[in-house]
Amino acid sequence: MTATHAGQTHTHSAKRHWAEGLTVFAAIMLMIAGVLDILRGIMAVAEDDLFVNTPNYIFEFDLTSWGWIHLALGAAAVIVSIGLFQASTWARVAGMVIGGLIIIGNFLSMPYYPVWSIVMIAFSGFIIWALSVVREEDFDESFTTPPRSR
């Protein structure tokens, strides 16, 4: 018969709660960032006069092109955030990739809408951080399975 220490169970349970909390935080933030990116894409596609026009910008695209880029990134972010609510490993990896792409897209379109771009870069930084600090072994099985008590 083996003895189980109460401290080990408590530590394991606390790690699991932190892992679940950070993953849910990242999923919600990615959902918000995706919806905001979708709205930004719709604004750019529908009305080009909402954005600042900067001449001689190296990464100059038509604002409709930027709109479609942000619309696609936003849609992908929303889909991946739904996968994060199920604690899928593919969603964690895809969430970090989408977060990185959102950062790159917002950095490149910063002259068109600077404050919005900085806010989205900060959102995506928090998403990448939350998804990268959680380890797979911090989860028992999934969010739906209650922690095992001994």
Side-chain angles (χ1 to χ4, degrees), residues 5 17-18 22 24 27 42 44 57 72 76 79-80 85-86 100 112 120 123 125 137 139:
H5 300 293
H17 289 302
W18 271 101
L22 284 173
V24 169
I42 290 171
Y57 181 51
I79 291 168
V80 169
F85 283 114
Q86 299 170 355
Y112 299 110
M120 292 300 290
F123 261 49
E137 59 266 10
F139 293 106

Side-chain angles (χ1 to χ4, degrees), residues 122-144:
F123 261 49
S124 298
F126 281 122
I127 292 165
I128 292 170
W129 170 78
L131 290 175
S132 63
V133 297
V134 176
R135 295 177 305 203
E136 190 67 33
E137 59 266 10
D138 291 340
F139 293 106
D140 275 345
E141 290 158 12
S142 71
F143 288 151
T144 57

